[in-house]
Each structure stands twice: as C-alpha cells, then as structure tokens.
C-alpha cells in the first residue's frame, strides 16, 4: 500500500528511520555461510536448551538490513562523515588496517581464561606495545590494564600513594592541580584517597612558579599536569616545576591523554615526570566518543615499577612469556585480565604502521593544522592566552555574545548544519565562552578550509540573523535537545516517544 507521507522530500535525509522490527516480510532472509576449517564448527545443543519455536524476529533480506544499518550509522555525526574538531579529544581518522588486525581470528577469538601457552602471540604483541609506549614516553615500565584515561589517572595516583605509604609518609596526600586541568584529574585524586589542591594559572596560561613554591610542603604527594596543557600551550618551565616538586618530596604525574602535539618530539620521562598515562583511544587512533571501549595505560619510572598491579607480562629466557600475578599487588585490581586487548592491538598496529618517523610527522601535522586554523580564524575567534598553539587552541566567543547575543553553544550547534561536529565548548573553565578546537593531523587542507568557511559563514549569520543560530541545528534528524533531560531520562525505545514525563 502506498502512502504519500512515505515520500516527502527531505524526509529521506532528516527523518528517523523506521524501526527494523516493522520492516520486511515473512520468508525474506540473507545468508552468510559459517567459517569452515575442516572441523565441525558447532556442537549440537542439548535438546533441553533448544528453542521450541522460531524466534519472533523480523524477516529481512540482506539489502534491507544493509540499508537500515547504513542509515542508522548516519544519524549521528562521526569522523567518517565529516570533520570532528573536538578539543582535548583527538578525534582522528582510524585506519581500517587497525580494525583488520584486531579482528584477526587468532586474536579476536581468544578466550581470556585460555592457558598462557595458547596466547603467546598475543602476549608478545602486548609486550611490544608496552615497550613501544615506554620508548615514546621515556619510561621504564608500563601497565596496559587501565580501561580509560580516568582509570589510568586513578592507577597513577594509587601508585604514587603506594610509594609514599611504603616510605612511611601517609601524610603526603595532597595533589596540586592547575586550574586549567581536565575535570577527571581532581576526581581521580579523590578516588585514590588523596586531596586535590588547585593551582591558579598565570595570565599567559602557564603554571605560576611562585604559587607552586608556596603550595608545596611536607604534605605534598605530587602534582598532576597536562603538557601541553588544556589551553594547547606547552609548560615551558617544566624542568623547573619538576625540580620544585621533587625537592619538596612529591612526584610528578603527567596527563598524557593527548600526546598528539609532542609524540616523537619530547618525552615526559625526560621532562622530569614520574608517571604518565596515555589515552590509546585518542592519540593512537582507536575511535571513541560513543561510549565504546578505551585504554589508558600508564608508564612509570623504575622507582614506581614495583607498585604496578599485576598481572605482569614477563619474558622468559626461552623467548616465551608468562603472566605473573605478584602476591599483594592485586589491591589496585581495576580491570579483569589484562586490560582492553582489542584497543591495545589497534594502538600497536597504528604505532608500527607509522613507525618512529611517522609518529613525529603525526605531531608536526597536528600542530600545523591547528596553527593554520588559528591563523585564519583569530580575527573573529580570538585566543585569550596565547600568540601560538600546539595541537589545539581555545578561542573565546565573548565578542559574539556581546555583539550578537549568540552563545558558544549556538555556534557549536550551527556547525552541525554545516556538516562539522562542534568543537569542545565551555571547557577549560578558565576561558569565558570557550571553544576548544583540535583539528588533528588527519584533516586535509581542503577540509580545514571548509571549516574556516563554515565558521565565517556562521559569523555573518550571527550578525544578520542570530535567530538561525539560536534554533540550530536545523538539518539533523533530531533538533536542539534539552541535554540535561536527554541524559537523565533517555528515550531509548524503538516504539517511539515514551510517555515517561
Ligand atoms: C579525555 C581526557 C581524559 C579522560 O579520558 P577518559 O578515557 O575519557 O577517561 C583525561 N585527561 C585529558 C586531558 C583528556 O583529554
């Protein structure tokens, strides 16, 4: 039966697709043959466990299923649709070869309870990743266990705390954190049983050395710094900062979630840090942002190595590997088995494919791209604290607010109509109407130019027709939402809007 509402122009692009449960017709099907390697592929299920009736699933042909999921995949903006300049998040294109490697049957089909003798290849790969990350960061030992950046921070804080306790200093429980820090930093300090203490930045966005000297003391456990910091600026005084903190008996933690500016250029270990965590799901290309798996390994100095939790991958004299669980080290057990292996394998594939020279080039191009955008946009989006940036910059939309009554939120939402994801907004908190832009190295000159043109077009709209911005986005399947309500009362039903108030 035909119905003209099915063919309204625009619906094709803007509408939500029909539920898959109402599509298809009995008898339609798509076939995929199971893998056959000469052995029986599946044992017969015992009769008592078999379904008596066929499941009540929709019957669809392969093209119907393909179209359905392809349509679904385009409802959200994603890096394979367009630019995604989300600051402090390093949303770079993820090479397909990473996915192919992580999906190799000899890796993807392993079971975590399999005997160590069966997983030697995997352990060799993970050991190589540990060594590569130590080489990139300038440290002695690595734990791949943390499943997220914040979990790496927690483990790093735990390890520093364990060192102070071991040395008989339970009173060392204060961790200094600059006011430009990522919000997860103070949270991780608290969860590790310590107390965060805020350090105010200087007007140029860097740490105030006098304030630091005044803040350290016998209760100092350490300092947590992001370098380059969240303003996209390098802490030039880092060796002096390290000397002040070490002299006071503290340790230095680096939040290395985004190494995109410095990989292959400088190493946290050489700057005087004692611990660093990296987000493999940012710097090393694994996609993130949809709540998918991540990995936040930490690398540490020899002094802190004994406090890393097990299991440890240990190479034997015969070239084989064992997984050792050292007694007493399970108190920081934060993840089952040995971390998110699939994410680790993607990162290793990325590192090996780029090679040392390639990683240097990644950093150089990431910085070049950010500087190009800054140079082309700073007349309408001024950058508060700096003349120059590294892999990202934080602009302020204050003049848009004062002149046109347009907020940074409106700029971000309107960018969606131009096919670009919004930059990070309202972070870091120390910049008013902040707009944090990180293009990454994987965007071409043409794509950067499109972004510049979009921001300039939106600036003109703000001057002539600000209402367009207030109501944006206009061309996405779902318009502007009450974000607090959407998070607290998500409507996840395929049956359509629920009446849950
Ligand atoms: C993303 C990020 C984090 C947190 O990482 P998660 O994996 O989201 O927990 C911490 N610090 C900085 C600087 C980040 O950009």
């Amino acid at each position: 039966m035909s119905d003209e509402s099915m063919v309204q122009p625009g619906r094709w692009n803007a509408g939500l697709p029909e539920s898959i449960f109402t599509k298809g017709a009995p008898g339609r099907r798509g076939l995929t043959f199971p893998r056959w390697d000469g052995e029986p592929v599946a044992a017969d299920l015992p009769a008592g466990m078999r379904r008596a009736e066929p499941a009540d699933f929709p019957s669809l042909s392969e093209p119907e299923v393909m179209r359905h999921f392809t349509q679904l995949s385009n409802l959200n903006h994603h890096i394979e649709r367009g630019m995604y300049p989300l600051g402090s998040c390093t949303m770079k294109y993820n090479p397909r070869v990473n996915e192919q490697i992580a999906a190799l049957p000899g890796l993807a089909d392993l079971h975590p309870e399999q005997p160590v003798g069966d997983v030697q290849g995997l352990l060799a790969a993970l050991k190589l990743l540990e060594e590569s990350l130590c080489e990139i960061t300038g440290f002695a030992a690595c734990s791949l266990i943390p499943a997220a950046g914040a979990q790496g921070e927690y483990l790093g804080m735990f390890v520093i705390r364990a060192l102070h306790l071991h040395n008989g200093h339970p009173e060392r429980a204060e961790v200094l954190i600059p006011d430009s820090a990522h919000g997860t930093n103070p949270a991780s300090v608290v969860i590790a049983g310590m107390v965060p203490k805020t350090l105010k930045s200087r007007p140029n966005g860097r740490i105030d050395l006098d304030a630091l000297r005044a803040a350290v003391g016998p209760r100092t456990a350490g300092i947590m710094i992001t370098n380059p910091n969240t303003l996209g600026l390098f802490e030039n005084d880092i060796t002096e900062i390290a000397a002040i903190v070490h002299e006071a008996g503290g340790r230095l933690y680096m939040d290395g979630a985004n190494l995109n500016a410095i990989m292959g250029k400088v190493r946290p270990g050489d700057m005087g840090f004692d611990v660093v965590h990296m987000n493999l799901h940012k710097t090393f290309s694994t996609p993130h942002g949809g709540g998918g798996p991540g990995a936040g390994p930490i690398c540490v100095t020899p002094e802190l190595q004994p406090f890393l939790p097990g299991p440890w991958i240990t190479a034997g004299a015969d070239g084989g590997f064992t997984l050792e669980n050292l007694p007493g080290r399970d108190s920081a057990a934060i993840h089952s088995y040995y971390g998110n292996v699939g994410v680790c394998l993607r990162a290793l594939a990325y590192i090996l494919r780029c090679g040392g020279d390639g990683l240097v080039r990644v950093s150089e191009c990431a910085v070049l791209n950010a500087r190009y955008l800054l140079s082309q946009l700073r007349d309408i989006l001024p950058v508060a604290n700096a003349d120059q940036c590294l892999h990202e910059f934080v602009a302020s939309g204050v003049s848009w607010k004062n002149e046109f009554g347009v907020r940074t939120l409106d700029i971000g939402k309107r960018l969606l109509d131009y096919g670009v994801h919004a930059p990070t907004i309202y972070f870091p908190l120390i910049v008013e109407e902040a707009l944090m832009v990180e293009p990454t190295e994987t965007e071409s000159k043409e794509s950067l130019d499109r972004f510049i043109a979009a921001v300039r077009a939106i600036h003109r709209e703000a001057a002539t027709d600000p209402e367009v911005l207030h109501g944006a986005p206009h061309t996405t399947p779902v318009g502007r939402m009450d974000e607090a309500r959407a998070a607290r009362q998500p409507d996840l039903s395929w049956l359509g809007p629920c009446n849950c108030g």
Side-chain angles (χ1 to χ4, degrees), residues 88 148-150 153 182 184 226 255 257-258 279 281-282:
S88 193
E153 292 169 25
H182 196 270
T184 48
T226 307
D255 180 337
N258 318 102
N279 280 25
H281 51 290
K282 289 179 182 170

